[in-house]
Amino acid sequence: MSDKKGSKNELNVIGHPLLKVDARAKCAGQTVFADDIFLPRMLFGKLLRSTRAHALIRRIDTAKAEAVPGVKAVLLGEELPTPFGILPVSQDEHTLAIEKVRFVGDPVVAIAALDEETAEEAVRLIEVEYEDLPPIMSIEDALKTKEPRIHDYGDGPNIHKLVSLEFGDTAEALEASDLVLEDTFFYQGSTHLPMEQHAAVGLWDLDGKLTLWSATQTPHYVHRALAHVLKLPASRIRVIACPNGGGFGGKSDPFSHEIAAAKLSMKTGRPVKMTLTREEVFYYHRGRHPVLMKSKLGLRKDGTITALHFKTILDGGAYGSYGVASTFYTGALQTVTYKVPRYKFEGARVFTNKPPCGPKRGHGTPQPRFALEVQMDKAAEKLCIDPAELRLKNLIEADSLTANWLKITTCALKTCIRKVVEGSDWNNKFRKLPYGQGVGLACSSYITGAGLPIYWNNMPQSGVQLKLDRSGGVTAFCGSTDIGQGSDSVLAYVVAEVLGIDPFDIRIVTADTDLTPVDLGSYSSRVTLMTGNAALQAAHRAREFLDEAVAEKLGVPKDRLVAAEGRMFAAEDPERYVEFAQAVQLAEAKFGTIGTVGSYKPPKSPGKYKGAGVGPSPSYSYTACVAQVQVDPETGMVTVEKIWIAHDVGRAINPLLAIGQTEGSVYMGLGEVLMEEQEFRMNVHKIPSMLDYKSPTSEDMCQVETYLVEEPDPEGPFGAKEIGQGPLLPVPPAVVNALHDAVGVRIDEIPVTPEKVLKVLQSKEQRGDPRYGPDVFPQVDYPAPLFVPPPWEGGDGRAVEKSASASGIRGE
């Protein structure tokens, strides 16, 4: 194929007007059909990104770029005018900026060329004329700046979302409390840092169908976005999610490079590959929101929690992403770990001219968990109660409802606390170690999948198809995506357990929108429970066919058949059996080709108020953590020596994978509490490289002792609950609480850097102030709260007028 534009040796190919073939490969005058040739040579795409944080685009000149030999296509934003976004309420992104750029790194122009070097050269030649606008680079700037607005929508100028919910008269309960603590906290943003960068390949087929291969966690939602932006029938689009080299939430959105690669392929008739550099991944971000928090916690003298009033402000960056859900998540799960009789939550998310934030491992919950667990530690100190005993006193109960109407199924947190207390020798270490050494405790909870899909509907959230072959082979089809957490293995384990065969005898086909039934994606720790339940249903339906056929063959009742070790046999006489392959043949002879389906839809939440859609889950996992640290008062260095962590997993489908997920969470939690931060200077990302962005190495990783606590949950497959995200949450507050035990200072923001430790130690010595952290929580005009009486005050899950609630009734 010729690489020169307008070559005399190129001929149009019948059946595909954009595809060309070198005429020297064919005899003169011979007709060339598309089916007679191989796929055309792949092109490589690159994005020109904004160098301005906030500006209007006045002119784009691509003439020099188009003249570069080897450049095959240039794509501008005006060619894709339809906005997109992961949430239906935040469709605010364009594939390429059309009139305005909103952060340094915003994509502006896409180039497709014969190789990456040529594409990069062409990108450098593009001229863009900007008209700068005042950049908004902080929460405070966003709240006080009315104009210019980063977006023309939201709950206020540069305010994306405002939330205000109240469950019972919180002010009344706080007024009656024996102890009220009021603290301000800050949790810095951080990025996912997966080993594999983002990449996608788009292919526009000769028959007018589009295929996209992508390193995505959510092929179903990428599929939706492609259909929406490209104006193609969804049935003409196929998305294949490749096995991810790490995701952690950073590959959960549909992204510009995926849509641009697809569109460039449509323009050129060639496959187009786009691979982001590590610096570009920092700009795509979607990582942890920086969150400023104010917590007002009431307790009785005996340590019983009476009420909690919790406020948050999230720095959302330039676009919506999952931000509305993130805002709710900074408050929704504060009632799931401990009994909180009355609860008020006020949340705000602001737009800033920084890379957009989104879901990072634990989506929206590590920040408020940090605040509450540190405050619980402060309360224990004030009340002279052991921190472990204070938590044990206030534990949420199994089979209960929370103040905000979340249904708790099982809770083994008591066992988790006792495991880490005993394992760490807590009672002989807390407040008893030499100066500079200390231990700290924290607990947490997390969802096992979200109760509602992103686009609300009544369809299943996960589906599985099984094909049983007469050779004895089984193939499982599912749309779920393995991002390194082992979900493909879990799918095989569940099916194999029911059918009584080796998991290695099951072929897994996943994450292909053409071949597999819909699964909504790998996020919110949903896959084991939701895909597992769908697989369980499909496998049991397959067993019904096999049981009937084999029972007839062996002359035994169906309910007396056992499937194990590749055989089906009579429970009372294991020597009366058939091999699994023969069982399939018997069933196929009796019923025809054996194929079954299974699906899963979570139970409905009891909450019926606006905002009740974020927080519900089929079940919640629980974690307890003890950290032991050593602090060098001369340098401020904090060394975490060991972590003891116990996780209520329901049942471990694969204990080795479960331990790996737990320790991976510990690793990420250590990074966030000690060093990781998204910092900006002069409107530019300060450290967009792995050389400068500090994250733990293997040398920084401490010893971890993991306890898997198994109390099967009725909602999970074989009782399983999540383990991929929840264990991260208690690690940062446990380390900060241990720091206090070691040197007697409080740091109410993270990361806990050596500079902050030295400053607070100096402040304690010179001024008697043993605290470092934010002192001011800006004024936010939160709306009047939606008032929902909690279950124990006569509520039914609906909002009411506050005066209509049953006031004066204490929740116990």
Side-chain angles (χ1 to χ4, degrees):
M1 181 179 296
S2 172
D3 293 337
K4 296 180 180 179
K5 297 173 76 173
S7 169
K8 295 179 180 178
N9 293 321
E10 288 184 341
L11 294 175
N12 285 333
V13 179
I14 296 174
H16 200 300
L18 291 176
L19 194 62
K20 297 181 182 293
V21 62
D22 194 332
R24 290 170 295 186
K26 296 287 181 178
C27 297
Q30 184 175 352
T31 302
V32 181
F33 290 91
D35 291 341
D36 296 333
I37 62 172
F38 295 104
L39 286 173
R41 178 175 170 179
M42 181 180 288
L43 301 178
F44 295 85
K46 283 293 176 182
L47 295 168
L48 172 71
R49 297 182 177 275
S50 170
T51 57
R52 310 298 175 89
H54 197 193
L56 300 175
I57 299 172
R58 291 309 186 194
R59 182 179 63 89
I60 300 175
D61 187 347
T62 62
K64 293 179 182 178
E66 293 180 68
V68 175
V71 170
K72 296 298 181 181
V74 175
L75 183 65
L76 299 176
E78 61 194 26
E79 299 177 63
L80 294 168
T82 303
F84 68 95
I86 185 65
L87 300 184
V89 295
S90 301
Q91 302 281 300
D92 58 3
E93 297 186 57
H94 284 93
T95 309
L96 302 166
I98 297 177
E99 297 176 346
K100 187 177 184 179
V101 292
R102 294 175 170 87
F103 69 99
V104 173
D106 219 354
V108 179
V109 182
I111 294 281
L114 292 172
D115 53 59
E116 284 190 306
E117 292 78 9
T118 300
E120 288 170 352
E121 178 188 352
V123 162
R124 287 192 293 269
L125 294 174
I126 298 172
E127 298 175 4
V128 183
E129 182 183 324
Y130 296 105
E131 179 184 329
D132 287 320
L133 298 170
I136 299 169
M137 299 300 294
S138 69
I139 288 173
E140 293 75 15
D141 285 348
L143 291 173
K144 70 183 181 183
T145 303
K146 306 302 180 184
E147 294 290 341
R149 294 182 62 162
I150 296 174
H151 289 283
D152 292 330
Y153 80 100
D155 288 346
N158 295 311
I159 296 177
H160 181 202
K161 185 65 179 176
L162 290 172
V163 178
S164 187
L165 299 167
E166 187 171 13
F167 306 89
D169 193 330
T170 307
E172 179 190 65
L174 288 170
E175 181 68 25
S177 300
D178 298 315
L179 173 67
V180 176
L181 294 176
E182 192 165 1
D183 296 285
T184 305
F185 300 91
F186 179 68
Y187 198 111
Q188 179 61 283
S190 58
T191 197
H192 314 85
L193 215 67
M195 292 180 67
E196 179 199 33
Q197 294 132 240
H198 298 248
V201 175
L203 174 62
W204 180 246
D205 285 340
L206 301 177
D207 56 359
K209 293 183 178 179
L210 175 68
T211 302
L212 183 83
W213 291 264
S214 182
T216 178
Q217 296 177 231
T218 54
H220 172 68
Y221 291 120
V222 173
H223 185 265
R224 289 184 67 110
L226 289 171
H228 177 62
V229 176
L230 299 176
K231 304 303 180 186
L232 292 174
S235 59
R236 300 275 182 95
I237 299 172
R238 179 184 186 186
V239 176
I240 301 171
C242 306
N244 284 201
F248 313 114
K251 298 171 182 174
S252 298
D253 286 71
F255 285 104
S256 293
H257 72 284
E258 295 167 319
I259 301 171
K263 182 63 176 179
L264 286 168
S265 181
M266 294 172 69
K267 290 187 70 170
T268 62
R270 298 187 183 191
V272 176
K273 180 178 182 180
M274 280 195 172
T275 302
L276 303 190
T277 64
R278 178 61 62 179
E279 182 174 347
E280 288 180 296
V281 175
F282 274 92
Y283 292 133
Y284 263 29
H285 193 41
R286 315 303 161 116
R288 185 83 70 220
H289 284 77
V291 181
L292 187 63
M293 297 161 281
K294 187 172 184 178
S295 182
K296 195 171 184 179
L297 178 66
L299 304 97
R300 297 189 186 131
K301 290 178 181 178
D302 66 357
T304 303
I305 294 172
T306 58
L308 174 65
H309 183 184
F310 199 74
K311 296 181 179 182
T312 65
I313 310 175
L314 296 77
D315 182 342
Y319 292 104
S321 184
Y322 284 83
V324 171
S326 307
T327 306
F328 278 100
Y329 271 128
T330 59
L333 302 191
Q334 293 294 70
T335 60
V336 171
T337 311
Y338 310 117
K339 288 182 285 188
V340 180
R342 291 183 178 177
Y343 178 52
K344 185 176 182 179
F345 169 60
E346 294 174 296
R349 184 181 192 262
V350 300
F351 287 123
T352 57
N353 293 119
K354 294 188 283 191
C357 299
K360 185 187 176 189
R361 202 172 196 167
H363 188 192
T365 62
Q367 303 97 317
R369 178 53 45 188
F370 165 74
L372 184 57
E373 290 300 314
V374 172
Q375 200 166 44
M376 287 286 285
D377 216 56
K378 293 180 180 183
E381 186 176 26
K382 292 274 188 184
L383 296 169
C384 299
I385 300 175
D386 183 275
E389 293 303 319
L390 181 65
R391 288 166 170 85
L392 288 168
K393 184 176 185 62
N394 287 284
L395 291 183
I396 198 76
E397 296 175 351
D399 298 314
S400 67
L401 290 174
T402 67
N404 55 338
W405 292 88
L406 301 179
K407 171 64 177 173
I408 308 299
T409 51
T410 57
C411 173
L413 185 52
K414 180 185 292 185
T415 304
C416 291
I417 292 173
R418 288 175 174 166
K419 286 278 188 184
V420 296
V421 164
E422 180 181 346
S424 65
D425 196 20
W426 171 269
N427 293 328
N428 291 319
K429 291 180 179 178
F430 181 62
R431 296 179 181 163
K432 298 175 183 177
L433 293 175
Y435 181 79
Q437 298 177 39
V439 290
L441 172 70
C443 300
S444 70
S445 53
Y446 195 62
I447 59 175
T448 306
L452 289 171
I454 290 173
Y455 289 81
W456 289 13
N457 59 70
N458 291 319
M459 293 181 285
Q461 290 198 34
S462 187
V464 170
Q465 293 176 334
L466 294 183
K467 178 180 74 70
L468 279 63
D469 187 78
R470 63 185 65 173
S471 66
V474 176
T475 305
F477 300 86
C478 182
S480 60
T481 307
D482 199 315
I483 58 173
Q485 84 280 39
S487 62
D488 284 1
S489 299
V490 169
L491 179 58
Y493 300 150
V494 171
V495 174
E497 181 71 18
V498 175
L499 298 184
I501 59 178
D502 193 313
F504 286 102
D505 291 333
I506 299 175
R507 185 178 297 277
I508 303 296
V509 179
T510 57
D512 185 327
T513 60
D514 262 15
L515 300 182
T516 61
V518 168
D519 178 85
L520 299 186
S522 291
Y523 62 92
S524 297
S525 281
R526 57 179 299 284
V527 177
T528 292
L529 185 137
M530 297 195 184
T531 293
N533 275 328
L536 199 62
Q537 186 181 76
H540 279 302
R541 287 174 174 173
R543 272 293 302 272
E544 291 174 8
F545 289 114
L546 299 177
D547 287 351
E548 187 166 338
V550 172
E552 185 176 292
K553 171 71 174 179
L554 298 181
V556 298
K558 288 190 297 183
D559 59 0
R560 303 309 300 159
L561 285 174
V562 176
E565 298 181 350
R567 302 185 306 163
M568 294 189 70
F569 53 86
E572 290 77 12
D573 184 4
E575 293 306 312
R576 296 177 63 190
Y577 70 90
V578 298
E579 298 288 346
F580 180 76
Q582 186 183 357
V584 175
Q585 292 165 13
L586 291 168
E588 188 171 346
K590 184 176 181 63
F591 300 107
T593 301
I594 304 300
T596 60
V597 297
S599 58
Y600 177 77
K601 183 165 62 174
K604 289 186 177 181
S605 168
K608 301 175 180 65
Y609 56 91
K610 185 177 181 181
V614 177
S617 178
S619 62
Y620 298 89
S621 70
Y622 292 89
T623 315
C625 174
V626 168
Q628 182 167 326
V629 306
Q630 182 163 330
V631 183
D632 186 338
E634 299 297 323
T635 65
M637 289 293 295
V638 178
T639 302
V640 180
E641 296 180 325
K642 188 169 181 178
I643 292 284
W644 292 264
I645 190 161
H647 185 75
D648 169 18
V649 67
R651 174 166 289 168
I653 301 292
N654 181 323
L656 187 61
L657 281 178
I659 291 172
Q661 285 290 299
T662 303
E663 295 181 358
S665 288
V666 170
Y667 164 83
M668 294 191 78
L670 289 175
E672 292 188 14
V673 69
L674 294 177
M675 60 189 76
E676 294 193 40
E677 53 186 338
Q678 288 266 106
E679 281 289 354
F680 295 82
R681 180 175 53 194
M682 301 294 291
N683 308 330
V684 177
H685 201 305
K686 184 179 176 182
I687 41 178
S689 76
M690 292 182 72
L691 179 64
D692 299 310
Y693 182 88
K694 293 181 181 179
S695 67
T697 67
S698 57
E699 292 292 322
D700 300 308
M701 186 63 179
C702 66
Q703 184 181 353
V704 180
E705 189 161 339
T706 301
Y707 307 94
L708 297 180
V709 175
E710 295 189 278
E711 183 178 311
D713 190 281
E715 293 294 330
F718 303 112
K721 297 199 283 190
E722 81 85 32
I723 199 167
Q725 303 188 60
L728 181 152
L729 275 62
V731 175
V735 171
V736 170
N737 289 339
L739 171 69
H740 175 68
D741 187 45
V743 292
V745 298
R746 290 284 182 190
I747 296 184
D748 288 345
E749 69 173 56
I750 60 172
V752 177
T753 61
E755 294 83 0
K756 294 175 185 176
V757 174
L758 288 177
K759 283 182 180 179
V760 72
L761 287 174
Q762 187 179 48
S763 174
K764 179 186 177 185
E765 181 179 347
Q766 296 177 353
R767 297 184 295 277
D769 181 7
R771 178 186 178 272
Y772 183 100
D775 295 315
V776 177
F777 190 89
Q779 175 65 37
V780 178
D781 293 327
Y782 295 108
L786 199 67
F787 191 82
V788 183
W792 42 83
E793 294 187 11
D796 62 0
R798 293 180 172 86
V800 301
E801 292 293 328
K802 190 169 184 177
S803 59
S805 106
S807 63
I809 301 174
R810 294 295 183 127
E812 298 294 341

